[in-house]
């Protein structure tokens, strides 16, 4: 029996050397310490042996079982480690390899310019309000001194949506009428309204059937044209740089009297003349004026007590000038590269 146990040990040792895979582990376990393994079998015949011998053999077989179990688990660990290491080395990441380029989105330039306007106006106590793009003829035209059949309506080639009552607003000025009516002639008004407007223009580098205006309206006591000039001057210096000079040219709008075109000195050539300002030294950025007597009256304000000014900046125009964009369609073609380029310009 003793020799048999020694033989088991020798056999086991030589089997162990050849163990390479997890399946080999399963097999060797079954062969020696499994239910029908040769070491398990040892104890089965013991009851027929005399107690003295049985004790000795018992000890020996326990020893061999302990030895075999330990050796197998060592081997098992070795194999598992080897498998893990191979897996890790296969999955290793070479951090020195160049990465895949990630294209970050960037805020739209137009949106940025609108936000700049909002920030400056809010710092001067203006509220930012919204108005519908699908507008009634009444707000878009009639309350602004443009009754049906008025020839000046033709200048704003309008998209009518339903009959002649519902349209895509051709400017953001209807918001003036809406805000004044909502206040019922009782409170001062100080708002800006950035938003989209639509006209039946053929799209080209400087025209788009959809564009953005930043409307503004102030109604209070003793508001004069000089207040408009002062406000616009401060705003433009903040938005386009401290050297910016503002110029008003006489103009005509049905809802303001007097009316003006707002020009700023060309920040590219500082008034010397270049291709951005078409050699005039000035750039037009919007229309404005003192709110017309009839508009105040029609919108519930007593023109003898109240007065105001209104303006409309062309947002794309301001953005094009600020970022040197030569084609208005740039804003409406979704091309990430454009905004990324401008984003970087801004950072530098
Ligand atoms: N609504 C005018 C336009 O679209 C601009 C404007 C706004 C003029 C406010 C005067 C006052 O051209």
């Amino acid at each position: 029996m003793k020799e048999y146990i020694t033989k088991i040990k020798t056999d086991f040792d030589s089997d162990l050397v050849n163990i390479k895979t997890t399946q080999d582990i399963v097999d060797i376990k079954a062969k020696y310490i499994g239910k029908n393994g040769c070491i398990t079998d040892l104890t089965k015949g013991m009851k027929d042996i005399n107690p003295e011998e049985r004790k000795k053999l018992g000890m020996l077989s326990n020893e061999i079982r302990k030895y075999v179990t330990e050796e197998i688990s060592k081997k098992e660990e070795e194999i598992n480690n080897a498998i893990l290491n191979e897996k890790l080395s296969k999955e290793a990441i070479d951090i020195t390899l160049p990465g895949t380029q990630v294209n970050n989105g960037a805020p739209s330039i137009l949106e940025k310019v609108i936000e700049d306007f909002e920030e400056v106006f809010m710092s001067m106590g203006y509220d930012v309000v919204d108005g519908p793009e699908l507008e009634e003829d009444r707000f878009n035209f009639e309350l602004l001194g443009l009754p049906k059949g008025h020839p000046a309506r033709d200048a704003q080639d309008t998209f009518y949506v339903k009959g002649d009552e519902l349209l895509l607003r051709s400017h953001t000025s209807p918001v003036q009428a809406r805000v004044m009516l909502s206040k019922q002639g009782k409170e001062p008004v100080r708002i800006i309204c950035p938003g989209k407007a639509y006209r039946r223009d053929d799209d080209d580098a400087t025209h788009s059937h959809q564009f953005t205006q930043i409307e503004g309206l102030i109604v209070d006591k003793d508001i004069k044209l000089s207040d408009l000039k002062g406000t616009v001057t401060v705003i433009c210096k903040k938005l386009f740089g401290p050297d910016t000079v503002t110029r008003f040219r006489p103009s005509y709008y049905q809802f303001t009297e007097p009316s003006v075109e707002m020009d700023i000195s060309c920040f590219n050539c500082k008034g010397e003349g270049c291709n951005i300002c078409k050699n005039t030294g000035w750039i037009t950025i919007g229309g404005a004026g003192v709110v017309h007597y009839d508009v105040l009256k029609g919108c519930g304000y007593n023109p003898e007590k109240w007065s105001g000014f209104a303006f409309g900046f062309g947002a794309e125009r301001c953005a094009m000038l600020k970022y040197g964009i030569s084609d208005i369609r740039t804003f409406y073609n979704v091309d990430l590269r454009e905004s990324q380029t401008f984003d970087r310009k801004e950072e530098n």
Side-chain angles (χ1 to χ4, degrees), residues 98-116:
T100 326
Q101 166 116 28
V102 178
N103 283 329
N104 287 332
S108 113
I109 301 306
L110 192 54
E111 208 54 50
K112 260 191 183 170
V113 167
I114 293 171
E115 277 173 19
D116 288 348

Side-chain angles (χ1 to χ4, degrees), residues 144 156 170-174 176 197 199 211 213-216 252-253 255-256 259-262 286-290 309-313:
L144 299 177
Q156 303 205 358
S170 58
H171 51 174
T172 44
S173 298
Q176 291 184 33
R199 283 184 204 175
F211 53 99
Q213 290 189 326
I214 297 162
E215 188 78 19
Y252 182 75
Y253 294 102
F255 33 96
T256 45
S259 303
V260 297
E261 293 298 302
M262 303 181 283
V290 171
F309 64 71
F311 53 81
F313 288 102

Side-chain angles (χ1 to χ4, degrees), residues 19 29 86 100 109 116 133 146 235 252 280 315 330 333:
I19 299 296
K29 271 187 187 166
E86 196 188 322
T100 326
I109 301 306
D116 288 348
E133 287 172 33
L146 287 150
I235 298 287
Y252 182 75
T280 62
T330 307
N333 295 333

Side-chain angles (χ1 to χ4, degrees), residues 159 197-212 316 327-332:
F159 286 108
Y198 304 83
R199 283 184 204 175
R200 288 191 296 139
D201 254 336
D202 288 332
D203 292 357
D204 61 27
T206 51
H207 296 87
S208 169
H209 63 282
Q210 178 204 304
F211 53 99
T212 314
E316 283 86 355
D327 194 323
I328 194 169
R329 289 167 293 197
T330 307
F331 298 112
Y332 302 106

Side-chain angles (χ1 to χ4, degrees), residues 133-143 146-171 174 197-201 209:
E133 287 172 33
L134 191 57
E135 188 54 283
E136 291 171 37
D137 184 273
R138 184 164 84 101
F139 293 111
N140 196 81
F141 288 129
E142 276 177 40
L143 286 164
L146 287 150
K148 287 210 169 70
H150 194 292
R153 280 188 177 216
D154 299 345
Q156 303 205 358
D157 257 337
T158 310
F159 286 108
Y160 280 90
V161 175
K162 206 171 156 199
D164 56 2
E165 286 309 323
L166 216 50
L167 45 86
L168 290 177
R169 66 180 176 196
S170 58
H171 51 174
Y198 304 83
R199 283 184 204 175
R200 288 191 296 139
D201 254 336
H209 63 282

Side-chain angles (χ1 to χ4, degrees), residues 35-323:
K35 220 160 117 199
N36 299 314
C38 55
I39 299 179
T40 316
D41 280 346
L42 274 178
T43 45
K44 288 183 186 160
M46 274 206 208
K47 57 180 186 315
D48 307 327
I49 308 171
N50 72 52
E52 196 90 335
E53 274 291 287
R54 199 192 303 159
K55 200 175 163 193
K56 271 195 210 148
L57 271 177
M59 274 166 68
L60 271 175
S61 72
N62 277 349
E63 246 168 56
I64 181 84
R65 172 177 282 279
K66 194 171 167 238
Y67 170 75
V68 166
T69 313
E70 276 174 11
E71 289 304 306
I72 291 179
S73 73
K74 266 191 228 158
K75 196 72 176 183
E76 197 171 13
E77 202 182 322
E78 234 171 68
I79 289 172
N80 284 342
N81 278 342
I83 292 173
L84 183 67
N85 283 340
E86 196 188 322
K87 204 171 163 203
L88 286 179
S89 70
K90 263 195 205 147
E91 289 172 5
I93 297 166
D94 181 355
I95 54 166
T96 62
L97 283 175
T100 326
Q101 166 116 28
V102 178
N103 283 329
N104 287 332
S108 113
I109 301 306
L110 192 54
E111 208 54 50
K112 260 191 183 170
V113 167
I114 293 171
E115 277 173 19
D116 288 348
F117 266 101
E118 288 180 355
E119 219 166 274
V120 181
F121 275 108
M122 282 195 292
S123 75
M124 295 170 83
Y126 284 71
D127 287 334
V128 179
V129 303
D130 218 0
E133 287 172 33
L134 191 57
E135 188 54 283
E136 291 171 37
D137 184 273
R138 184 164 84 101
F139 293 111
N140 196 81
F141 288 129
E142 276 177 40
L143 286 164
L144 299 177
L146 287 150
K148 287 210 169 70
H150 194 292
R153 280 188 177 216
D154 299 345
Q156 303 205 358
D157 257 337
T158 310
F159 286 108
Y160 280 90
V161 175
K162 206 171 156 199
D164 56 2
E165 286 309 323
L166 216 50
L167 45 86
L168 290 177
R169 66 180 176 196
S170 58
H171 51 174
T172 44
S173 298
V175 180
Q176 291 184 33
R178 283 184 174 274
V179 172
M180 280 191 269
L181 282 170
S182 75
K183 307 254 184 198
Q184 300 179 324
K186 294 196 180 93
E187 302 165 46
V189 176
R190 192 177 291 200
I191 56 107
I192 63 158
C193 170
K196 292 190 192 101
Y198 304 83
R199 283 184 204 175
R200 288 191 296 139
D201 254 336
D202 288 332
D203 292 357
D204 61 27
T206 51
H207 296 87
S208 169
H209 63 282
Q210 178 204 304
F211 53 99
T212 314
Q213 290 189 326
I214 297 162
E215 188 78 19
L217 171 69
I218 190 160
V219 179
D220 212 323
K221 307 280 161 63
D222 291 328
I223 301 286
K224 300 176 288 296
L225 186 66
S226 54
D227 297 314
L228 171 65
K229 180 85 196 281
T231 305
V232 171
T233 304
V234 170
I235 298 287
C236 290
K237 279 185 190 298
K238 286 208 173 154
L239 291 175
F240 299 105
D243 301 336
T244 311
V245 181
T246 316
R247 176 179 86 168
F248 280 2
R249 273 182 298 118
S251 185
Y252 182 75
Y253 294 102
Q254 288 71 27
F255 33 96
T256 45
E257 179 59 37
S259 303
V260 297
E261 293 298 302
M262 303 181 283
D263 293 345
I264 55 169
S265 55
C266 178
F267 39 81
N268 186 47
C269 63
K270 306 274 177 249
E272 302 243 309
C274 69
N275 61 347
I276 291 187
C277 60
K278 300 204 180 87
N279 283 319
T280 62
W282 296 95
I283 297 163
T284 304
I285 51 166
V290 171
V291 183
H292 198 287
Y293 187 97
D294 292 341
V295 173
L296 282 171
K297 207 166 155 192
C299 294
Y301 277 81
N302 179 353
E304 304 297 337
K305 287 190 186 157
W306 299 89
S307 56
F309 64 71
F311 53 81
F313 288 102
E316 283 86 355
R317 207 181 162 111
C318 292
M320 285 164 85
L321 298 169
K322 198 163 173 185
Y323 292 95

